[in-house]
Short mmCIF file of all heavy atoms in Angstrom, two decimals:
data_model
loop_
_atom_site.label_atom_id
_atom_site.label_comp_id
_atom_site.label_asym_id
_atom_site.label_seq_id
_atom_site.Cartn_x
_atom_site.Cartn_y
_atom_site.Cartn_z
N SER A 1 -37.82 11.41 28.55
CA SER A 1 -38.73 11.41 27.45
C SER A 1 -38.67 12.81 26.79
O SER A 1 -38.68 13.84 27.44
CB SER A 1 -40.15 11.11 27.87
OG SER A 1 -40.70 12.09 28.73
N LEU A 2 -38.64 12.79 25.47
CA LEU A 2 -38.73 14.00 24.64
C LEU A 2 -39.94 13.91 23.79
O LEU A 2 -40.07 12.95 23.03
CB LEU A 2 -37.44 14.14 23.80
CG LEU A 2 -36.11 14.24 24.54
CD1 LEU A 2 -34.95 14.07 23.59
CD2 LEU A 2 -36.03 15.55 25.24
N THR A 3 -40.79 14.92 23.91
CA THR A 3 -42.08 14.87 23.22
C THR A 3 -42.25 16.10 22.33
O THR A 3 -41.95 17.23 22.79
CB THR A 3 -43.24 14.84 24.21
OG1 THR A 3 -43.08 13.69 25.08
CG2 THR A 3 -44.57 14.70 23.51
N ARG A 4 -42.67 15.85 21.11
CA ARG A 4 -42.98 16.94 20.20
C ARG A 4 -44.44 16.83 19.82
O ARG A 4 -44.93 15.87 19.33
CB ARG A 4 -42.12 16.88 18.92
CG ARG A 4 -42.43 17.98 17.95
CD ARG A 4 -41.43 18.01 16.82
NE ARG A 4 -41.40 16.78 16.08
CZ ARG A 4 -40.57 16.51 15.09
NH1 ARG A 4 -39.59 17.37 14.79
NH2 ARG A 4 -40.60 15.34 14.45
N SER A 5 -45.16 17.95 20.07
CA SER A 5 -46.60 17.90 19.82
C SER A 5 -47.07 19.24 19.20
O SER A 5 -47.09 20.26 19.86
CB SER A 5 -47.34 17.74 21.17
OG SER A 5 -48.78 17.90 20.98
N GLU A 6 -47.37 19.19 17.91
CA GLU A 6 -47.89 20.36 17.20
C GLU A 6 -48.42 19.93 15.85
O GLU A 6 -47.99 18.95 15.27
CB GLU A 6 -46.83 21.44 17.05
CG GLU A 6 -45.62 21.00 16.27
CD GLU A 6 -44.61 22.14 16.10
OE1 GLU A 6 -44.91 23.27 16.43
OE2 GLU A 6 -43.48 21.85 15.64
N THR A 7 -49.37 20.72 15.35
CA THR A 7 -49.93 20.46 14.01
C THR A 7 -48.93 20.86 12.97
O THR A 7 -48.05 21.64 13.24
CB THR A 7 -51.25 21.22 13.80
OG1 THR A 7 -50.95 22.62 13.88
CG2 THR A 7 -52.26 20.85 14.88
N THR A 8 -49.12 20.31 11.76
CA THR A 8 -48.24 20.71 10.66
C THR A 8 -48.31 22.18 10.40
O THR A 8 -47.30 22.83 10.17
CB THR A 8 -48.67 19.92 9.40
OG1 THR A 8 -48.59 18.50 9.70
CG2 THR A 8 -47.74 20.25 8.25
N GLU A 9 -49.55 22.77 10.46
CA GLU A 9 -49.68 24.22 10.20
C GLU A 9 -48.92 25.06 11.25
O GLU A 9 -48.29 26.02 10.89
CB GLU A 9 -51.19 24.53 10.22
CG GLU A 9 -51.98 23.95 9.08
CD GLU A 9 -52.37 22.50 9.32
OE1 GLU A 9 -52.05 21.97 10.44
OE2 GLU A 9 -52.91 21.87 8.40
N ARG A 10 -49.03 24.66 12.51
CA ARG A 10 -48.35 25.39 13.56
C ARG A 10 -46.84 25.31 13.38
O ARG A 10 -46.13 26.30 13.60
CB ARG A 10 -48.74 24.86 14.92
CG ARG A 10 -48.09 25.61 16.09
CD ARG A 10 -48.55 25.05 17.41
NE ARG A 10 -47.86 25.67 18.49
CZ ARG A 10 -48.01 25.32 19.78
NH1 ARG A 10 -48.81 24.32 20.10
NH2 ARG A 10 -47.30 25.89 20.69
N ARG A 11 -46.35 24.11 13.02
CA ARG A 11 -44.92 23.97 12.85
C ARG A 11 -44.44 24.85 11.70
O ARG A 11 -43.39 25.51 11.80
CB ARG A 11 -44.57 22.48 12.55
CG ARG A 11 -43.08 22.25 12.27
CD ARG A 11 -42.82 20.75 12.00
NE ARG A 11 -43.62 20.27 10.92
CZ ARG A 11 -43.37 20.43 9.63
NH1 ARG A 11 -42.33 21.20 9.27
NH2 ARG A 11 -44.13 19.91 8.70
N GLN A 12 -45.18 24.82 10.58
CA GLN A 12 -44.75 25.66 9.42
C GLN A 12 -44.74 27.14 9.78
O GLN A 12 -43.85 27.87 9.38
CB GLN A 12 -45.69 25.37 8.27
CG GLN A 12 -45.49 23.94 7.70
CD GLN A 12 -46.53 23.63 6.63
OE1 GLN A 12 -47.55 24.28 6.53
NE2 GLN A 12 -46.24 22.60 5.83
N ALA A 13 -45.78 27.58 10.56
CA ALA A 13 -45.81 28.97 10.94
C ALA A 13 -44.67 29.38 11.86
O ALA A 13 -44.05 30.42 11.76
CB ALA A 13 -47.17 29.26 11.62
N ARG A 14 -44.35 28.43 12.82
CA ARG A 14 -43.22 28.70 13.73
C ARG A 14 -41.93 28.79 12.98
O ARG A 14 -41.12 29.68 13.25
CB ARG A 14 -43.19 27.61 14.81
CG ARG A 14 -42.02 27.78 15.79
CD ARG A 14 -42.08 26.71 16.87
NE ARG A 14 -42.23 25.34 16.33
CZ ARG A 14 -41.20 24.67 15.81
NH1 ARG A 14 -40.02 25.24 15.73
NH2 ARG A 14 -41.42 23.46 15.35
N GLU A 15 -41.72 27.89 12.03
CA GLU A 15 -40.48 27.88 11.28
C GLU A 15 -40.38 29.13 10.41
O GLU A 15 -39.28 29.70 10.21
CB GLU A 15 -40.40 26.63 10.38
CG GLU A 15 -40.24 25.33 11.19
CD GLU A 15 -40.30 24.09 10.28
OE1 GLU A 15 -40.65 24.24 9.11
OE2 GLU A 15 -40.00 22.99 10.80
N LYS A 16 -41.51 29.62 9.89
CA LYS A 16 -41.51 30.79 9.04
C LYS A 16 -41.17 32.06 9.81
O LYS A 16 -40.43 32.94 9.32
CB LYS A 16 -42.88 31.00 8.39
CG LYS A 16 -43.01 32.17 7.46
CD LYS A 16 -44.36 32.24 6.83
CE LYS A 16 -44.49 33.45 5.90
NZ LYS A 16 -45.85 33.52 5.28
N ASN A 17 -41.63 32.13 11.07
CA ASN A 17 -41.43 33.32 11.90
C ASN A 17 -40.13 33.25 12.70
O ASN A 17 -39.72 34.29 13.29
CB ASN A 17 -42.59 33.50 12.83
CG ASN A 17 -43.89 33.77 12.08
OD1 ASN A 17 -43.91 34.36 11.03
ND2 ASN A 17 -45.02 33.27 12.66
N SER A 18 -39.52 32.12 12.74
CA SER A 18 -38.29 31.94 13.56
C SER A 18 -37.08 32.36 12.76
O SER A 18 -36.94 32.05 11.57
CB SER A 18 -38.15 30.50 14.03
OG SER A 18 -36.91 30.34 14.72
N ARG A 19 -36.14 33.08 13.40
CA ARG A 19 -34.91 33.46 12.78
C ARG A 19 -33.86 32.40 12.93
O ARG A 19 -32.79 32.45 12.30
CB ARG A 19 -34.42 34.79 13.35
CG ARG A 19 -35.37 35.99 13.12
CD ARG A 19 -34.81 37.25 13.72
NE ARG A 19 -35.72 38.37 13.47
CZ ARG A 19 -35.46 39.60 13.91
NH1 ARG A 19 -34.39 39.86 14.66
NH2 ARG A 19 -36.33 40.58 13.70
N GLN A 20 -34.10 31.47 13.83
CA GLN A 20 -33.14 30.42 14.13
C GLN A 20 -33.53 29.16 13.38
O GLN A 20 -34.77 28.87 13.23
CB GLN A 20 -33.06 30.11 15.66
CG GLN A 20 -32.67 31.30 16.49
CD GLN A 20 -31.24 31.73 16.22
OE1 GLN A 20 -30.39 30.86 15.89
NE2 GLN A 20 -30.96 32.98 16.32
N PRO A 21 -32.59 28.39 12.91
CA PRO A 21 -32.93 27.13 12.22
C PRO A 21 -33.58 26.18 13.18
O PRO A 21 -33.23 26.14 14.37
CB PRO A 21 -31.59 26.57 11.74
CG PRO A 21 -30.59 27.28 12.61
CD PRO A 21 -31.14 28.65 12.91
N THR A 22 -34.61 25.46 12.76
CA THR A 22 -35.29 24.53 13.60
C THR A 22 -34.49 23.25 13.82
O THR A 22 -34.00 22.63 12.90
CB THR A 22 -36.69 24.16 12.97
OG1 THR A 22 -37.38 25.36 12.76
CG2 THR A 22 -37.43 23.22 13.89
N MET A 23 -34.38 22.84 15.14
CA MET A 23 -33.63 21.63 15.44
C MET A 23 -34.53 20.42 15.16
O MET A 23 -35.69 20.37 15.54
CB MET A 23 -33.25 21.66 16.94
CG MET A 23 -32.53 20.36 17.38
SD MET A 23 -32.05 20.40 19.14
CE MET A 23 -30.66 21.53 19.05
N SER A 24 -33.95 19.43 14.48
CA SER A 24 -34.69 18.22 14.19
C SER A 24 -34.73 17.36 15.46
O SER A 24 -33.91 17.52 16.37
CB SER A 24 -34.03 17.46 13.07
OG SER A 24 -32.81 16.88 13.47
N PHE A 25 -35.65 16.40 15.45
CA PHE A 25 -35.79 15.50 16.57
C PHE A 25 -34.52 14.66 16.74
O PHE A 25 -34.01 14.43 17.82
CB PHE A 25 -37.02 14.60 16.40
CG PHE A 25 -37.71 14.27 17.68
CD1 PHE A 25 -39.09 14.08 17.73
CD2 PHE A 25 -37.01 14.15 18.89
CE1 PHE A 25 -39.73 13.80 18.91
CE2 PHE A 25 -37.66 13.83 20.05
CZ PHE A 25 -39.05 13.66 20.06
N ASP A 26 -33.96 14.22 15.61
CA ASP A 26 -32.76 13.38 15.66
C ASP A 26 -31.60 14.19 16.22
O ASP A 26 -30.78 13.66 17.03
CB ASP A 26 -32.40 12.91 14.25
CG ASP A 26 -33.37 11.87 13.71
OD1 ASP A 26 -34.01 11.20 14.57
OD2 ASP A 26 -33.44 11.69 12.50
N ASP A 27 -31.46 15.45 15.83
CA ASP A 27 -30.39 16.27 16.36
C ASP A 27 -30.53 16.46 17.89
O ASP A 27 -29.55 16.42 18.64
CB ASP A 27 -30.35 17.65 15.67
CG ASP A 27 -29.91 17.55 14.22
OD1 ASP A 27 -29.24 16.51 13.87
OD2 ASP A 27 -30.17 18.48 13.44
N LEU A 28 -31.76 16.74 18.32
CA LEU A 28 -32.02 16.92 19.73
C LEU A 28 -31.66 15.64 20.51
O LEU A 28 -31.01 15.69 21.56
CB LEU A 28 -33.46 17.25 19.97
CG LEU A 28 -33.86 17.46 21.44
CD1 LEU A 28 -33.10 18.61 22.11
CD2 LEU A 28 -35.37 17.70 21.54
N MET A 29 -32.08 14.47 20.02
CA MET A 29 -31.77 13.21 20.67
C MET A 29 -30.26 13.03 20.80
O MET A 29 -29.77 12.67 21.88
CB MET A 29 -32.36 12.04 19.87
CG MET A 29 -33.89 11.87 20.02
SD MET A 29 -34.31 11.02 21.56
CE MET A 29 -33.74 9.37 21.23
N ASN A 30 -29.54 13.30 19.74
CA ASN A 30 -28.10 13.07 19.75
C ASN A 30 -27.44 14.03 20.78
O ASN A 30 -26.53 13.64 21.49
CB ASN A 30 -27.51 13.36 18.38
CG ASN A 30 -27.89 12.23 17.35
OD1 ASN A 30 -28.14 11.12 17.79
ND2 ASN A 30 -27.91 12.54 16.09
N ASP A 31 -27.91 15.28 20.85
CA ASP A 31 -27.34 16.26 21.78
C ASP A 31 -27.58 15.84 23.19
O ASP A 31 -26.72 15.97 24.10
CB ASP A 31 -27.89 17.67 21.52
CG ASP A 31 -27.32 18.29 20.29
OD1 ASP A 31 -26.34 17.71 19.70
OD2 ASP A 31 -27.87 19.33 19.80
N VAL A 32 -28.79 15.34 23.49
CA VAL A 32 -29.14 14.92 24.87
C VAL A 32 -28.29 13.70 25.23
O VAL A 32 -27.76 13.63 26.36
CB VAL A 32 -30.61 14.56 24.98
CG1 VAL A 32 -30.92 13.85 26.31
CG2 VAL A 32 -31.48 15.80 24.87
#
């Protein structure tokens, strides 16, 4: 099982502060 749990605000803040591109759920599923 792969679970993603976060509010929209938290996700936006994480993406803003991250230097790495955010992996989408579909990309993660395909890689697994």
